[in-house]
Amino acid sequence: MNVIKKVGMTEQVRRFRARFVQGGGTLLGSVLTGRLLQEVVYEETGRWRERIYGPLTTLVLFLEQVLGGDRSCHDAVARGLSLRVSQGQAPCGLNTGAYCQARARLSAGLVERLGRVVAARLCAAQPKQWLWHGREVKLVDGTTVSMPDTKANQGAFPQNHEQKPGLGFPLARLLGILSRSCGAIVEWAVGPCEGKQTGETAVLWRLMDRLLPGDVVVADRYFAGYFGIARLYQLGMDVVIRQHPLRRTDFRRGERLGRRDHKVQWARPPRPVWLDPATYLQMPEFLVMREVRSGDLTLVTTLLDAKEVGKQELIDLYAQRWQIELDFRAIKSVMQMDILRCKTPDMIQKEIAVHFLACNLIRTVMAQAACLACLLPRQLSFKASLQILNAFEENLRHAPRGRLPACQDIVLGSIA
């Protein structure tokens, strides 16, 4: 790499980190280090020709496009022009063609890897008092998003089969795994809503290996199947899930632990069509499950010790599952991801990944603000945090090194 490109990359990395309050002296101020950011860009992008819209420049403009209220490519190009002028570089044109081509060239692996790296490092660095019994709790749920009605999008993400051709929009299913404590999106998958093995449970099965042993998975009753719970338990995780309505809970059976609280054995059901014989034989013949009920809410869990985890603690933990519904609503309404704009499946995947990366970067700033103010990240407003970050964008990106820490302190204090 030539010297000019290397110097330019270093400056871009510095401004990128400053934009999202990284580099300060706070506990979570080094979730995304400059060295890590450069390594990910080089490894995922490889060699590239020197252009107006290099990989990191394109990524920054794409992020600003999803964070801003306008969301148009013309707005992103205008931001790029303003950035070049502020750095003393030659101005570029306002034609959006070059920027759109740069977005198409942008490595999807770069965006997705950065999003997952930020989430993983944030979860690993968060204070222990934010955890539940010293363990990370992962919330699981799905949602859907629509997109432009193009032939390519319809081929990859067909519209609802009940809609007539030409009267509906392509629909994608998203499954997300989020941190209960800091709200980071640690894993996700995108797929169609129609066809075999496209349901949320099937998608979660493919993501289970990416979770960490020791995690506690909290999900709604759609995920209360025997094989999903057994697989998570085999991987070293515990679950707290609402009981499926088709499974009967009889508190006269099993080992009594308290009022409406007992341990029972679940027998392995017959092999379903989607599960191959080898994997089926690896599943345990019985699962020891704990069932608890409060009012009309019945939960099942692999946390069997009633002295270590009480019934009310399980009820309170499951109540926090609603946070993932609020998180998806924030991403889809505040960040306007409910209706995507790209016209090809590859770009749809990339657009979703950019939204999730932006969300994780905002969550990182919120976590810093909460840590400094002795609060919990969930006590802070996602929308207000985004508004403050956007208001201070120019100050953070262009503040002299000597004034940057004071600016970052104002941003974090304002968010808290």
Side-chain angles (χ1 to χ4, degrees), residues 314-329:
L314 293 173
I315 301 297
D316 293 342
L317 177 62
Y318 184 78
Q320 296 179 51
R321 190 207 69 83
W322 189 249
Q323 291 292 344
I324 193 171
E325 306 280 359
L326 301 179
D327 292 341
F328 276 139
R329 186 178 71 178

Side-chain angles (χ1 to χ4, degrees), residues 29-256:
S30 57
V31 169
L32 186 61
T33 64
R35 181 176 181 180
L36 174 64
L37 180 55
Q38 290 195 48
E39 285 179 357
V40 173
V41 172
Y42 294 149
E43 290 173 8
E44 295 294 336
T45 306
R47 298 171 63 93
W48 69 86
R49 186 162 60 87
E50 188 66 26
R51 307 170 185 260
I52 291 176
Y53 298 109
L56 193 52
T57 300
T58 305
L59 177 59
V60 168
L61 294 178
F62 207 164
L63 281 168
E64 297 300 337
Q65 190 175 353
V66 304
L67 290 175
D70 189 280
R71 297 180 65 205
S72 68
C73 289
H74 188 273
D75 180 68
V77 171
R79 288 174 181 270
L81 171 61
S82 174
L83 181 63
R84 289 182 64 84
V85 172
S86 68
Q87 295 176 339
Q89 298 175 325
C92 61
L94 286 174
N95 190 299
T96 59
Y99 170 65
C100 292
Q101 292 173 13
R103 287 201 318 174
R105 289 193 305 268
L106 186 66
S107 167
L110 168 63
V111 186
E112 294 174 0
R113 184 175 167 188
L114 270 180
R116 292 185 170 99
V117 164
V118 170
R121 288 174 64 89
L122 174 57
C123 290
Q126 61 186 335
K128 291 183 178 180
Q129 58 266 32
W130 292 359
L131 305 180
W132 185 81
H133 283 267
R135 302 175 67 176
E136 176 72 52
V137 175
K138 300 292 176 57
L139 310 177
V140 179
D141 202 6
T143 188
T144 58
V145 292
S146 65
M147 63 198 73
D149 187 14
T150 65
K151 185 176 181 179
N153 285 344
Q154 284 282 9
F157 307 107
Q159 68 186 53
N160 190 306
H161 66 276
E162 296 181 354
Q163 295 176 319
K164 294 182 179 180
L167 298 180
F169 289 90
L171 204 62
R173 186 190 308 282
L174 306 180
L175 184 82
I177 302 176
L178 280 70
S179 167
R180 175 200 67 97
S181 50
C182 64
I185 307 169
V186 296
E187 278 297 341
W188 68 88
V190 184
C193 290
E194 298 283 336
K196 294 182 178 180
Q197 295 299 296
T198 59
E200 293 175 8
T201 53
V203 178
L204 177 60
W205 187 274
R206 298 195 293 269
L207 293 180
M208 287 181 183
D209 291 338
R210 303 183 190 177
L211 295 172
L212 300 176
D215 286 347
V216 179
V217 176
V218 178
D220 62 21
R221 55 192 172 190
Y222 190 72
F223 299 91
Y226 182 95
F227 298 106
I229 293 175
R231 179 58 179 158
L232 288 168
Y233 191 69
Q234 284 181 331
L235 294 171
M237 287 164 268
D238 285 302
V239 302
V240 178
I241 300 177
R242 189 170 186 178
Q243 178 70 291
H244 196 282
L246 296 181
R247 185 184 293 277
R248 184 186 176 194
T249 302
D250 186 354
F251 288 100
R252 295 172 297 181
R253 298 171 50 242
E255 178 186 345
R256 189 173 187 273

Side-chain angles (χ1 to χ4, degrees), residues 21 50 77 117 126 167 199 293 301 329 354 387 398 401:
V21 201
E50 188 66 26
V77 171
V117 164
Q126 61 186 335
L167 298 180
R293 179 178 293 166
T301 179
R329 186 178 71 178
V354 169
Q387 289 172 337
H398 301 295
R401 293 177 187 269

